[in-house]
Each structure stands twice: as structure tokens, then as C-alpha cells.
Amino acid sequence: MFVIKLKNILIIKLVNDFCLMFKDIKYNNIFATLGFFIILFFIGISIYADFGLGVDEDNSRVNGFVSLRYIYEIFSPQNIFKIDKIIIVSNINDYSQQGNGVVFDLPMAFLELIFNITDDRQIYLIRHFSNFLFFFISIIFFYKIIKNRYNSYFSALLGAAFLVASPRIFAESFYNSKDILFMSLFIINLFAGINFLEKPSIKSAAFFSIISALCIDVRILGILLPAIIFLIFIINMLRNNNFKKYDILPFILFLILLPFLVILFWPYLWENPIGNFVGVFKNLSQHPYYGYNFYFGEYIAARNVPWHYPIVWIFITTPIYYLILFLIGFIFIFYRLISRLLKIEKNNSYIDLWRGKKELQDLIFFLTFSIPIFIIIILDSTLYDGWRHLYFVYPSFIIIALNGLNLIKNIFIKKKKLTINIVTCLLVLQILFWMFTNHPHQNVYFNLFTMNKFNKNFEMDYWGISNKNALEYIAKDSKNEANVSFIDNEKLSWMKNGAVLINTARGPIVDEDALYAELKNDRLNAAFDVYWQEPYHGKLKEFYPERF
């Protein structure tokens, strides 16, 4: 009896210890997650001022004010003068860069107007901080997506760490308000779309509609995920005999809300929704960009890049370890998908595309990565500045890479899981160390595939971020007064008498004093739509409007 009692006591104690251990593990995971995001947030708010001004940021700012002025024309025409004091912009129907929505740029313009922010540095610092904030929020949703897929705190944290420890993505999260913003919204929409499929309700349909509309209003390619979810929802209805009729209501709500919200969030579509949307689509499909890319040591027109351009850029700017894991995961998912398609029964063509929610999620990640690349290659799209236009496929890339990592741990090397986890963490730390030592120039990261000859074969700082450091170096170390204007006295002297200097790039690239001297001597004329300060009140107004 004593032995039996002792045995029962030991069993109860072991069960209690196990439960306590499980509870501790759960709390440790929560603390690790909170610690990760708290550290990331404080890193972001500590370094957002370190990055220079990207070449596209002025255009993004103008983009916001064009739509803001249009809204004021409709709802508050008596206050348009407040916008005109800040910046002179064209009419919304005459604005040539309507390919990008105003999901980010319009609120930024509104903040600048409402809080009367006149300091140029503060204007762009606020934009940098806000851009990072969007990215930070998206990483939380990314964590949730991976936690839902793999039911693992470690995998979720590791996936979030992979995304942060992607040097180019992290750097551009502060100043790329188009591609990174689109990627961030696409991540949130992945979460919303999967949640809508798994738990169709009025709430999930509304959330998915809102985020889908925001995605589309940043880039038209945002329509991809709603289209995929739409098809899967239809297939679910056809394959499930027990499909509940009331699940149709959220679906119908989504179909109604989505086009309405796309129009609502994009003022350019208000006047002529269908016509303007089609116009934007045509403009993007025939993007009138005539620049060149430096690719494998040659200058190639952006309108005529080889088919492998985006694939090569992904492979040379992504950490090699991520690439290896991705290839393993991608091949496995692709093989499984093909096998299922080949085995589909003739009379049950919806039965075997996926088995369970995890395989369905894998299919979504596979499609959201593969389809955009396939479309760009088939359509021979205009591409430039590396693969930044495809950043939104990168979250799916990482999730597929995690699939590859799990395959290694659970199938190929079952007894070495801890070792693999440790090696993975060490490799991520190595990338983070590189990012730390090369801050704030993480945007020029290349992996070892380029054999350290990246500067001779590929574009580097196409954003012009390093100009900030260059100017700080000149200002700090130059013994004499530094003149950083590109068009100075010497270059103006090369122009013929009576010539007109036209500047639509940046005001400061022209030496204001040198131009003043030329206009004062009646030798040159000038036409500018950018200035040294906005609104411009400098000495060149002396020649307005006859000669300046």
C-alpha cells in the first residue's frame, strides 16, 4: 500500500511539474515576444533620423498635397490658400503620377497642414517615423500569421526576426513609402484574408475589405490577394456539402464593400471611378520610364530588362541562408501541389487541392509569391532600382523558408533540432551584426553570390540615401565654405547667351547666388518648379515673372 501511495504521489508530482514547466514555457514565450517587439520599437525610434532623404520622397509629398488640395476644392474651397502657402501643386486631373495611391501621402500632407510644420527636416523625419511605424505594426501581424500556420512561438519569432534581419527591407522601412508600405499592408491583408477564410463573419469581411482597399490604393497589384481569396472561397463552397448558408453574407458584404472603399480611399477615382482606374492600370502596364539599370556591368533600359532581372536581384540581395531554406520549402510545396493536381478525381475536381488549413495557407503563400513574378516576366514589365517593386512577395518568401526549416528539422535531421535552431539564431545574429556595423547603409547589402564585385556589376545606392553622409562629411571637414550645388558658376558659364535653365529636379542642385548673377547680367533666363525653400521668397523673385 505504501508503495502504491508513493507511486501515486510521484505521478501527481510529475504531472504538476510538467504543467508548471509548460506554464513557464508559455510565459517565457510571451516575454520573449514582448521583449522582441519592445526592443525593435525602441531601435526604430532611436535611428529613424539617421537615414538620408530618398530621391522619391519629394514626389511622394507632392502626391499627397495634390489629393489634399482636390479634397479642399470640394469641401473647403475657402481654405485652399492654406495649401498654396505651403506648396504649389497641379490639378489632380493634370497630375501625371497617378499610378500610386495616397494611403500614406495624403495623411502625411494633412498632418503637415494641420500642425503647420514648416521645417523641411521635421517634415521628412515625421514621414520616416510614420513609415517605420507602419512596418512595425505589420511585423506584429506577420508574427500572428506564422503563429497561426506553425502553432509555434519560436517559428513566429524567428520569422519576424528573418524579416527584420533583411538588411535592405529594414533600411527602406524608414523612407520607402511606396514599396515597403505596400509590403506592410500586404502582410496585414494576408492575415485578414486567411482569417476571413477560416472564420467568415461580418467583422472579418469588413476588416478584409478595408485592408484590401488600402492595398489596391497603394499599388493596383494589391488586387491579387482578394482575387485569390475569392477563388478559394468559391472552391470551398463547391467542395463542402456542409457549407453554411449564412457564411454567404460576409462574402457578399466583402464584394460590396471592396469597390466602394477602393474609391473612397483614393480621391482621384471620385470623379470617374471606372475610367480613372482603367487609366491608372494602363499607365502602369505601359510605364513611361526611360531610365537605365546598371546590371551585370552594363546599362540596360528599364523598359527592356531581361526576364531574369527580378530573380537575380532577389538572389543577390537576400541572405544566403534564407535562400537555401526557401528553395527547400518552395520545391516541397510545388511538388505537393503538382502531385495533388495529378491525382484529382475526374468527378471530384475540388477534393484534393489542399488538406486542412495549413496546406491551404501554404498554397496562398505559394501563389502570392509566384504569381507576381510570373506576371512581371510574362508581361515584360518595366523594372528599375532592383526588385523593390516586388518587395510585397518577400513575406511569403520568408514563410516558405520557414517551411523549409521545419522540413529539415522534422524529416531530414530529426535528432538535431536544437542544433539547427542554435545555428539559425547565430546566422541571424551575424546578419544583425552586419547591419549594425554598416548602419545606416543597409540598403546596399549584397550577399556572397556577387563575390564582392557588386559595385562593378550592379546599382548600389539608387535611393541617394548616402548623400546625407556625404554632405555631413563635406560640411564638417571642409576648411572653406562648402558649395554642394551641382550647377555652379562654372557650369552656368558653359551655357550660351540667352539660354534658359529649366529645373524640375531639386532646387538646391543649382547655386542660387551664381544663377542670380547670371540673371542680373541679363545673360540667362530660368524656369523652375522646385525651389531652395517652399514657399520661395528668395532674391530671384526680383526677376519674376519675365525672366524667372
Side-chain angles (χ1 to χ4, degrees):
M1 288 292 293
F2 175 77
V3 173
I4 294 174
K5 286 182 178 180
L6 180 62
K7 182 180 178 182
N8 290 336
I9 291 171
L10 288 173
I11 290 173
I12 293 170
K13 188 176 186 310
L14 285 172
V15 170
N16 287 334
D17 288 345
F18 178 79
C19 291
L20 287 172
M21 181 183 72
F22 180 80
K23 185 177 180 181
D24 288 342
I25 290 172
K26 181 178 180 181
Y27 281 121
N28 287 339
N29 287 326
I30 292 173
F31 285 133
T33 300
L34 287 174
F36 172 84
F37 284 105
I38 290 171
I39 291 171
L40 176 61
F41 180 77
F42 278 102
I43 289 174
I45 63 176
S46 299
I47 68 172
Y48 74 94
D50 296 349
F51 298 90
L53 187 65
V55 295
D56 237 8
E57 291 191 71
D58 268 357
N59 292 333
S60 297
R61 178 171 174 258
V62 170
N63 187 42
F65 273 104
V66 168
S67 289
L68 185 61
R69 194 179 194 281
Y70 175 67
I71 293 172
Y72 266 66
E73 287 174 356
I74 297 174
F75 298 105
S76 186
Q78 70 275 13
N79 289 314
I80 289 179
F81 74 94
K82 295 180 180 179
I83 296 176
D84 293 340
K85 279 185 176 181
I86 297 173
I87 187 172
I88 303 297
V89 294
S90 61
N91 181 277
I92 195 168
N93 292 315
D94 298 327
Y95 185 57
S96 61
Q97 298 188 32
Q98 286 293 351
N100 300 300
V102 290
V103 169
F104 180 81
D105 298 332
L106 179 57
M108 290 297 101
F110 185 72
L111 285 176
E112 186 179 335
L113 175 65
I114 293 299
F115 292 101
N116 193 28
I117 305 171
T118 57
D119 182 77
D120 287 344
R121 175 176 167 78
Q122 292 302 317
I123 288 170
Y124 290 104
L125 285 180
I126 290 171
R127 294 177 68 93
H128 285 194
F129 174 77
S130 301
N131 211 69
F132 171 76
L133 192 59
F134 267 102
F135 177 67
F136 175 79
I137 293 170
S138 75
I139 295 175
I140 297 174
F141 281 94
F142 191 57
Y143 172 91
K144 288 175 173 289
I145 292 170
I146 300 171
K147 177 69 170 56
N148 180 41
R149 167 59 183 86
Y150 296 105
N151 195 28
S152 165
Y153 285 99
F154 178 78
S155 294
L157 265 182
L158 190 62
F162 277 11
L163 186 57
V164 173
S166 298
R168 286 176 175 254
I169 299 295
F170 180 76
E172 294 185 32
S173 70
F174 292 92
Y175 51 81
N176 184 347
S177 60
K178 295 177 182 176
D179 310 296
I180 295 296
L181 176 72
F182 184 48
M183 185 196 77
S184 300
L185 286 171
F186 200 85
I187 289 172
I188 301 173
N189 211 28
L190 273 172
F191 173 85
I194 292 170
N195 185 55
F196 175 65
L197 284 175
E198 294 180 355
K199 303 173 184 177
S201 65
I202 299 299
K203 182 179 177 181
S204 63
F207 182 58
F208 185 42
S209 301
I210 293 169
I211 306 301
S212 294
L214 292 173
C215 278
I216 295 169
D217 285 350
V218 175
R219 288 274 167 82
I220 287 185
L221 266 176
I223 202 170
L224 172 67
L225 184 58
I228 291 173
I229 298 299
F230 172 85
L231 291 174
I232 292 174
F233 197 94
I234 295 296
I235 293 173
N236 272 337
M237 289 174 56
L238 295 173
R239 70 185 291 190
N240 189 354
N241 295 327
N242 297 321
F243 194 85
K244 300 172 184 176
K245 291 183 179 180
Y246 58 78
D247 286 343
I248 298 293
L249 292 177
F251 184 60
I252 294 173
L253 176 65
F254 167 73
L255 294 179
I256 295 172
L257 272 181
L258 180 60
F260 171 76
L261 293 174
V262 168
I263 297 168
L264 178 66
F265 296 154
W266 198 346
Y268 178 64
L269 301 180
W270 292 357
E271 186 176 334
N272 182 10
I274 297 176
N276 286 349
F277 188 85
V278 171
V280 169
F281 186 82
K282 287 182 178 179
N283 181 57
L284 290 177
S285 62
Q286 303 169 356
H287 189 42
Y289 181 79
Y290 298 97
Y292 285 79
N293 295 306
F294 188 56
Y295 186 63
F296 282 114
E298 298 181 2
Y299 286 97
I300 300 174
R303 294 171 63 89
N304 191 34
V305 296
W307 67 269
H308 48 74
Y309 179 84
I311 297 174
V312 168
W313 267 100
I314 291 174
F315 269 75
I316 63 175
T317 59
T318 301
I320 292 177
Y321 185 58
Y322 303 175
L323 289 170
I324 295 171
L325 297 179
F326 167 78
L327 289 174
I328 294 171
F330 185 86
I331 291 170
F332 174 79
I333 295 173
F334 181 73
Y335 174 78
R336 185 176 65 192
L337 180 61
I338 296 299
S339 299
R340 297 282 170 80
L341 287 171
L342 292 175
K343 293 178 182 178
I344 284 178
E345 298 175 16
K346 293 181 180 179
N347 296 326
N348 293 304
S349 56
Y350 303 100
I351 295 298
D352 245 347
L353 288 175
W354 61 84
R355 296 171 185 169
K357 73 172 191 176
K358 291 185 177 181
E359 288 193 10
L360 174 57
Q361 290 180 35
D362 288 343
L363 177 63
I364 293 172
F365 304 139
F366 178 86
L367 294 177
T368 50
F369 175 83
S370 305
I371 291 176
I373 296 177
F374 178 77
I375 290 174
I376 281 176
I377 292 174
I378 292 298
L379 296 181
D380 194 22
S381 300
T382 300
L383 293 173
Y384 51 92
D385 296 346
W387 62 290
R388 68 180 182 88
H389 302 96
L390 283 168
Y391 280 170
F392 70 97
V393 308
Y394 191 61
S396 296
F397 173 100
I398 290 177
I399 297 175
I400 294 172
L402 290 174
N403 197 310
L405 180 62
N406 282 336
L407 285 171
I408 293 174
K409 292 193 294 185
N410 298 324
I411 296 179
F412 301 118
I413 314 177
K414 292 183 180 180
K415 297 181 180 180
K416 301 288 184 179
K417 289 184 180 181
L418 180 61
T419 302
I420 294 171
N421 287 340
I422 292 173
V423 169
T424 299
C425 291
L426 289 174
L427 289 172
V428 171
L429 287 173
Q430 181 267 327
I431 297 168
L432 290 172
F433 180 75
W434 184 95
M435 294 169 63
F436 173 77
T437 56
N438 289 276
H439 178 74
H441 305 297
Q442 298 95 334
N443 63 305
V444 293
Y445 173 83
F446 288 89
N447 62 34
L448 293 178
F449 284 153
T450 59
M451 297 186 296
N452 293 324
K453 295 182 179 179
F454 51 86
N455 58 321
K456 296 181 180 179
N457 289 301
F458 303 99
E459 290 175 276
M460 294 178 62
D461 185 20
Y462 45 74
W463 285 108
I465 299 300
S466 58
N467 290 337
K468 174 179 181 287
N469 298 83
L471 294 174
E472 287 175 344
Y473 175 81
I474 292 171
K476 179 180 178 181
D477 297 334
S478 178
K479 295 180 180 179
N480 302 315
E481 184 178 345
N483 183 353
V484 295
S485 298
F486 176 72
I487 301 176
D488 52 14
N489 285 303
E490 181 184 6
K491 292 184 177 65
L492 288 174
S493 69
W494 298 345
M495 300 180 68
K496 295 180 179 180
N497 292 339
V500 179
L501 175 65
I502 300 175
N503 182 13
T504 60
R506 303 288 186 274
I509 69 171
V510 179
D511 187 317
E512 186 178 11
D513 293 330
L515 181 60
Y516 178 85
E518 294 287 0
L519 296 179
K520 191 74 173 177
N521 294 330
D522 292 331
R523 203 180 74 79
L524 298 177
N525 297 306
F528 282 41
D529 69 354
V530 289
Y531 309 98
W532 296 265
Q533 310 90 27
E534 293 185 7
Y536 181 67
H537 298 295
K539 55 188 174 182
L540 290 175
K541 290 191 74 173
E542 174 185 331
F543 307 103
Y544 175 83
E546 290 80 9
R547 305 191 49 237
F548 176 73

